Amino acid sequence: MWKSRVVGIGLILSMLMAACSRPAVQEVDKWQKLVEETNRTIQMEPLQVTEYSIKVGARLTKPEHKKFAANSSFVISGSVQEYTTMKSDSVWVLIRKMNQNASSVNDDFSYYAPIRDGVFEQNVQLPDGAGEYRVVVRLPSTDSKDRYYDLTEFHVFNVNDEIKRDIAFTMPGRNSGLNISRPETGYSKTEGVFDLQGSILNYPATNRFVMIRLEKDEKKWEHLIPIKEGKFEARLPLHYGLGVHKLTVMAPDPTRKDYFLEAAYLFLDNQSAKTSEPIQYFKTYQERGVRLDTPLTGGEEAQLKYRISGAIDPNVPDADKTTHVIVQTKKDKDVATYLIPVQNYIFDGEIWLRFGRGTYEVTVNVPETNNPLRGYHQFYSVAKFTVVSTASEDKRNLLPSRGIQSDAPEIIELANKLTEGIKTDREKAEAIYAYVAQNVRYDVEKFRNDDFRYDDSAIKTLQTKEGVCQDYSFLTIALLRALNMESRFVEGFARGNRHAWVEVKVNGDWLVMDPTWGAGYIDQNNQFVAKYSTDYFDPSPDLLKKTHSRTGVMY
């Protein structure tokens, strides 16, 4: 009984498998039938080899004819008797499609088939769908490196119109030990972006990058990708919309500094019609080990907030000193600066598009690491791109900005507490002025040493209860904006020194306040003396111009 059951189940499985596989078999039969039909129309002449081939004892065992048909691919194989005298260890197979049209993705395709113990073999994928291809097989020279002589040539008719393409490696790519694991083929369809992954064995210690070049029509974008422990990877955008983009991967030249050699070619068929602007990367981007993950392209749309994220390579010199990235936004003549902290070599934060609708130029920067005391004044650009804000309202004097965390819970809570029961904006502004002037002590040493830090801010001032004019202004403006009162950071001079104070909008007019000068004064011994005064809350213009000279507003 058991035996008959087993046989019965086996018969059923065989029938099911045959039924399931029938469409695939039919597909193969279709192409094979077309190959046979095409070959019947071709005069099958035997291949001829050149005099050089006879000289070095080379012969081709596959294929055997000058013209023949194939279903997408075929095999080239042969042997060389005098291979030890040759200056290269590979046979060059050059493929060119005849009568190319606008849909063709490339002119030539090359394989370099290694010669091992005098034998070579290469599976050839016809790279551009149906049509006629000319194939030339070339042998290395016995007297000169990088010189090749023809062994033979033949024509192949591909009956299959599907594009199936291998990644094309050049001789420099082969010599560098380049391997590309993603994409897996030389032609693939994708949606707007793609992942590039690979490895490289031979590269100079002075140039640990591969370069990529992305091309479509007359447009071109180049970018460097770091090599880490022989591997590289990046998520890359297809900037130029719908259609085929050519990607060239270039390996570092081992003999020339900052020079790259074309190493591999592949094609990406973008299914998305969306176009984008390339991000401009500066030399410092590579030198400081920055990787920008968000955004991947410029020209994106946003409303009030825009996210920027990425990482710092911990292996670059002074990587641990990059504690912040500095982001500047510029719209027309208006500039705003934001700091995004770097924690465990990762940064991820949001900036505000505060100047209303329009196009913003955004620059990502890293700080000067050799002079940390003045670091936030000195920085280097690593990347630049544009963002298009769709928010119509200009909120430059209401939204958070560098050092002014008006959306922080502790700031909002304190602002509400200080103004509880107060109804008019003028009284609210005076309550904020009074609190800051009476609770923050002037830091004389910071002023004398010009000791500004990245974390100088309203939050820091609230915690330490000390600072200079910048810090008084940060906290004052943060508290005012937390109450939805328009306020701004005013830059200028006071008695010959650089100074900062505050302007707040009350009943449609800008009211001036200087909580630093309202807090006290510095005596002859350079000591701060706390002495609260309301003289610099809404001072008269005549009084203010005697001591203060306004130069502009910092956003």
Side-chain angles (χ1 to χ4, degrees), residues 47-63 76-81 86 90-94 115 118 120 135-140 148-154:
L47 275 178
Q48 301 293 323
V49 298
T50 62
E51 290 185 8
Y52 179 74
S53 303
I54 297 171
K55 175 183 174 182
V56 296
R59 60 187 291 266
L60 212 61
T61 54
K62 291 182 181 178
I76 291 177
S77 63
S79 60
V80 186
Q81 292 179 357
M86 292 179 169
S90 61
V91 171
W92 180 12
V93 180
L94 180 63
I115 304 171
F120 59 90
V135 181
V136 181
V137 182
R138 292 174 174 168
L139 296 168
Y148 286 79
Y149 297 101
D150 289 357
L151 185 159
T152 190
E153 73 169 78
F154 51 88

Side-chain angles (χ1 to χ4, degrees), residues 186-250:
Y187 179 87
S188 55
K189 294 182 179 182
T190 187
E191 192 80 25
V193 296
F194 70 99
D195 292 315
L196 177 67
Q197 293 180 359
S199 59
I200 186 167
L201 294 177
N202 306 314
Y203 57 93
T206 55
N207 191 357
R208 297 176 180 270
F209 297 94
V210 294
M211 177 181 281
I212 63 101
R213 179 191 298 136
L214 192 68
E215 298 173 273
K216 183 175 181 287
D217 302 325
E218 300 299 319
K219 299 174 182 177
K220 180 175 69 175
W221 175 64
E222 294 181 339
H223 182 52
L224 292 177
I225 302 171
I227 302 169
K228 298 178 182 179
E229 297 179 352
K231 297 180 179 180
F232 59 90
E233 61 178 338
R235 189 164 177 79
L236 299 168
L238 295 171
H239 291 297
Y240 307 121
L242 193 68
V244 176
H245 291 58
K246 181 181 179 181
L247 177 70
T248 305
V249 180
M250 290 172 277

Side-chain angles (χ1 to χ4, degrees), residues 10-26 29:
L11 286 170
I12 292 170
L13 287 174
S14 297
M15 292 171 66
L16 288 172
M17 290 175 66
C20 291
S21 62
R22 190 171 296 135
V25 171
Q26 289 176 349
D29 289 346

